[in-house]
Amino acid sequence: MTVRIGVEEEFHVIDVETGELVPRAEAVLSKVARPQDGYARELPQSVVESNSGVHTSLDSLYVDLSATRHRLDESAFRQGLGVVAAGTAPLTRLGTVPPTPERRYHDMTDKYRRLADEQLICGAQVHVDVPDRDDAVRAMCAVGPWLPPLLALSASSPFWLGADTGYASWRTMVWQRWPTSGPPGCFDSAAEYDRAMDELVRSGVISDPGMIYYDVRPSAHLQTLELRVCDACPRVETVVLIAALFRALVVDACAQLRAAGGSKCDGRHEWLRAATWRAARSGLEGELIDPTTRRAAPAPVVVRGMLRRLRPSLEEYGDWATARSLAEETLAHGSAAHRLRRTVAAQDLLAGVDDLLAETRGGAPRPGRGDRAQRARRSAPHPAGRQSGGGRLVTRPARARGVRHAPADPGVADDPADEHMAGGAGTIALRRRRGGPAPAQGVRPAPSAPSEGGPACAA
């Protein structure tokens, strides 16, 4: 049966003049959102959320996400703004972004104080059909060990408050401060899971089940299993890759449940949080914890091992060639965190914001951004995976297997902790510029796919 997927993406709203995060989400949504468009507000007034349609193919998901980004970019541009899909906005000042004026968000701000004030982060969530809630709850145990590699693929948030954190995903470190974040553990049934969530609500720590922020969870309002561990991704191709891998993981987990007649758990989960920390620290440029050995291994080894493990399910849905190509391309060119550090080391943090804006809109240059930005755009290669005339996801050939991406220059280290430090520690000074982006061309919104197909797990 066909297993459907959907994606939620969060975007920072950026002032294109300064590159800074600004509380203008409502302004962007006012020019783009209709009830059927699938956009929403979030806790900070600097974040907008989009919700894709339901899809069975990666190609249709790609077109949908690209069109959604185009509409947001068009709306933002008309107001001197831009939208960035990344775990954190590199240029952020605390105290400048108030909460969205809704009672829920004001209550959260009052209760969680600085934790809510610093929730200036964006993620990407993937939903996979699992109509049977017992299966969704049990599948969390099987997919859990493979979530840190997905986080590493998405890592896009090395900068916080204008400084390099030394992490590939600082968003993860901010996010894990919430009382219900991190690996969920294992449950034998939906009833057991729901009792545990009810206890958390009754404790007063959280107000409702919607505040269960586990790395993976059964959706509170959909018949899906929801991936929540990933940073927002500048390149839409990365989101598509993660969606393909997560669908395959869920399909495999459900197959294991059927074969075993129920869940099989060794009861050892203490290493999962450590593995998540390792992925947030290193991204693709260091070591990850290999779920099969629970030992450190180079990120390319772990990612390729996951691909081999998931190949039968990826082939079943026609995703193998696309997933392999996108994964090899990502390993060759590095994580978004690595690419951002490389730009900042060569130029400055404002140039890094320019790159994030361009990658989010699909790599198309904007006229009138100033000489420096234009030189950067002309010298940068076009990102792979641009939409072809037929609307399919097209990728460039990746480098040869086993070849890791090279640093931007011999003086930049591969280790995220060392990279960029040659440019000086602390906050990076801002430079103003005139001008603003012009609308991207050639992207047409795609209608949401009809709700078709069947469940991931047989009831």
Side-chain angles (χ1 to χ4, degrees), residues 100-118:
T100 295
E102 293 181 7
R103 180 172 180 176
R104 174 181 176 82
Y105 294 140
H106 278 299
D107 289 347
M108 290 175 67
T109 302
D110 182 64
K111 183 172 185 176
Y112 298 99
R113 302 299 295 273
R114 192 172 182 89
L115 178 55
D117 294 339
E118 296 185 4

Side-chain angles (χ1 to χ4, degrees), residues 1 44 65 98 102 118 132 136 161 177 184 220 233 278 301 313-314 363 367 369 420 426 431 437 443:
M1 292 184 179
L65 297 179
E102 293 181 7
E118 296 185 4
D132 186 283
L161 307 182
R177 298 181 300 179
C233 304
R278 181 75 267 173
V301 172
S313 294
L314 290 168
R369 293 297 303 276
H420 176 65
R431 298 209 306 267
V443 181

